[in-house]
Amino acid sequence: MKKEDDGSISFVISDLFDFDYWYENGNDDQINKAIKYVNNNAYRQQKANKLEPYILYIPIKFTTKELEKILD
């Protein structure tokens, strides 16, 4: 995280886009079942070399006014 001279802050979120298998739980609601289905489908595609992992790189900057609003 970096504080700029104008009072703003900036930072970068980086994450490896790589799927792990998510086990289903008998207590999962419909939304969690759907999310796990999509995730596990991507996991299977990744294991079959049909989906390549990549890095998400997201630069974020908050202006001084945005920070004041967030912290109020």
Side-chain angles (χ1 to χ4, degrees):
M1 186 174 287
K2 181 179 177 186
K3 182 179 179 188
E4 307 293 343
D5 292 338
D6 64 359
S8 65
I9 61 168
S10 59
F11 57 96
V12 174
I13 297 173
S14 59
D15 186 23
L16 181 63
F17 187 60
D18 189 15
F19 292 95
D20 292 322
Y21 184 83
W22 291 356
Y23 292 94
E24 292 186 27
N25 180 332
N27 297 325
D28 287 340
D29 61 19
Q30 292 297 84
I31 293 173
N32 281 329
K33 286 180 184 179
I35 291 169
K36 288 179 180 182
Y37 174 82
V38 170
N39 178 83
N40 291 342
N41 186 42
Y43 170 81
R44 286 187 290 277
Q45 290 180 44
Q46 180 179 284
K47 285 294 182 190
N49 293 320
K50 294 184 178 187
L51 179 65
E52 293 289 325
Y54 61 89
I55 294 178
L56 296 174
Y57 181 83
I58 307 166
I60 307 285
K61 182 175 182 176
F62 290 107
T63 66
T64 305
K65 287 183 182 182
E66 290 171 326
L67 286 171
E68 288 171 356
K69 189 174 181 178
I70 291 168
L71 297 174
D72 277 343

